[in-house]
Amino acid sequence: MYKILALDIDGTLLNSKKEITPAVGNAIAGLQDRNIPVLIVSGRPAQGIRHVSEELHLKERGGYILSFNGGKIIDCRTDEIVYSNPIEARYYKEIIDYANTLNASILTYDGGHIITEKPDNKYVDVESKVVRMPVRKVNNLYETICKDNVTADKFLIAGEPEYMMSSVSAMAGYFKGRLNIFQSEPFFIEVVPLGIDKAAALEVLLGRIGMTRAELVACGDGKNDVTMIKYAGMGVAMENACDEVKAVADCVTASCDEDGVARAIEKFFI
């Protein structure tokens, strides 16, 4: 019945040490042996997913990266961008100006770098380590984006968790009907184009490859996984998932530190 697997990265595919455990790696290899496509669906930039896709041999064995919460889809075998929906340039200055009123740092991505005016923010450092991209300090983020012709697929605002949680609703309200704004982690607010989320991207990709949501198993743990888990024919929450994900999931597997993805594969594909 199930013919395709979609996986969030952090807290799902990777354990708390940011590793793919042997059991999870072997389970995914078993799916690839049966030509079952594996999709990596993450809020990370594409560059920050490359090392994960390489570890899973998606270029050789086939698979897709859905980065920026689905704002960009890449066919790993051919490296072709099959879908891209960046933020419209007319919003750049307004987003940056709004973020600069907050007690936080705003960043975006330029090729293989994170660019920001405030590189010393500890949560910017967290993002840098997670996606394995160096941080480049700029004096004026908006002017740099314009001068260097940077295409912003998303902006990330980083700050203290309690402050971020108290700020996200107001920002989402301010940009309502124009941009999609949400928390992916307690210390991150993400800004992406309206309509961009993991479920919407999966709908695009499944249509392209001739599959249906009923054939999809999706595993996730964070707030930005809610739409994906609801959308999939079988939505699987990790034991370490937030309550919002568990509330919409069809089932709960073990945690990312207890080979939860491997157990889900065994249950639904074997």
Side-chain angles (χ1 to χ4, degrees):
M1 177 181 178
Y2 299 114
K3 299 179 180 179
I4 187 166
L5 175 66
L7 298 171
D8 170 57
I9 295 181
D10 300 294
T12 301
L13 172 61
L14 304 185
N15 64 12
S16 57
K17 296 180 180 179
K18 301 298 181 184
E19 299 169 336
I20 299 174
T21 66
V24 170
N26 290 336
I28 290 172
L31 291 185
Q32 293 170 322
D33 288 341
R34 295 162 54 197
N35 295 315
I36 293 174
V38 176
L39 317 177
I40 306 301
V41 191
S42 174
R44 293 187 186 192
Q47 185 69 24
I49 301 173
R50 292 292 186 185
H51 65 282
V52 177
S53 68
E54 288 170 2
E55 188 171 348
L56 296 178
H57 305 287
L58 296 191
K59 183 172 182 62
E60 298 82 7
R61 309 200 72 178
Y64 292 84
I65 289 172
L66 289 76
S67 60
F68 299 114
N69 285 298
K72 182 176 288 183
I73 303 175
I74 298 172
D75 183 334
C76 295
R77 195 182 291 278
T78 64
D79 220 28
E80 174 192 3
I81 296 173
V82 299
Y83 174 78
S84 180
N85 186 1
I87 296 172
E88 292 181 47
R90 63 191 174 110
Y91 292 126
Y92 291 174
K93 188 174 190 303
E94 191 176 6
I95 294 166
I96 293 168
D97 286 348
Y98 188 103
N100 283 336
T101 68
L102 304 176
N103 184 21
S105 298
I106 183 169
L107 63 87
T108 191
Y109 311 87
D110 181 15
H113 291 83
I114 293 168
I115 54 174
T116 180
E117 297 174 16
K118 301 176 182 178
D120 295 331
N121 182 308
K122 66 182 179 181
Y123 297 110
V124 173
D125 187 57
V126 168
E127 175 71 354
S128 173
K129 289 175 178 175
V130 165
V131 302
R132 301 189 185 185
M133 295 170 68
V135 179
R136 178 163 64 91
K137 183 182 186 304
V138 299
N139 292 326
N140 186 298
L141 184 58
Y142 178 67
E143 289 179 1
T144 299
I145 289 172
C146 294
K147 178 173 64 72
D148 295 346
N149 293 315
V150 174
T151 298
D153 291 282
K154 82 169 183 179
F155 288 95
L156 188 69
I157 302 170
E160 292 297 332
E162 189 171 323
Y163 182 76
M164 291 289 95
M165 285 187 276
S166 68
S167 302
V168 65
S169 294
M171 188 173 185
Y174 180 85
F175 288 102
K176 185 177 181 180
R178 297 186 291 157
L179 295 164
N180 188 13
I181 295 170
F182 57 91
Q183 279 188 282
S184 57
E185 297 285 352
F187 39 80
F188 288 150
I189 294 174
E190 305 216 2
V191 183
V192 298
L194 197 66
I196 291 296
D197 64 41
K198 294 186 177 185
L202 287 166
E203 178 79 7
V204 170
L205 180 59
L206 292 178
R208 179 182 174 87
I209 63 179
M211 290 189 175
T212 68
R213 60 190 291 184
E215 298 171 312
L216 173 68
V217 175
C219 302
D221 73 302
K223 291 181 180 180
N224 61 334
D225 295 318
V226 168
T227 62
M228 175 174 76
I229 300 303
K230 288 175 67 176
Y231 173 81
M234 178 54 62
V236 181
M238 309 300 291
E239 178 56 44
N240 53 280
C242 65
D243 291 340
E244 291 91 335
V245 172
K246 289 181 177 177
V248 300
D250 298 300
C251 75
V252 178
T253 188
S255 76
C256 63
D257 289 322
E258 299 172 317
D259 302 321
V261 166
R263 296 192 191 190
I265 290 172
E266 181 178 0
K267 182 173 184 177
F268 298 113
F269 290 98
I270 298 174

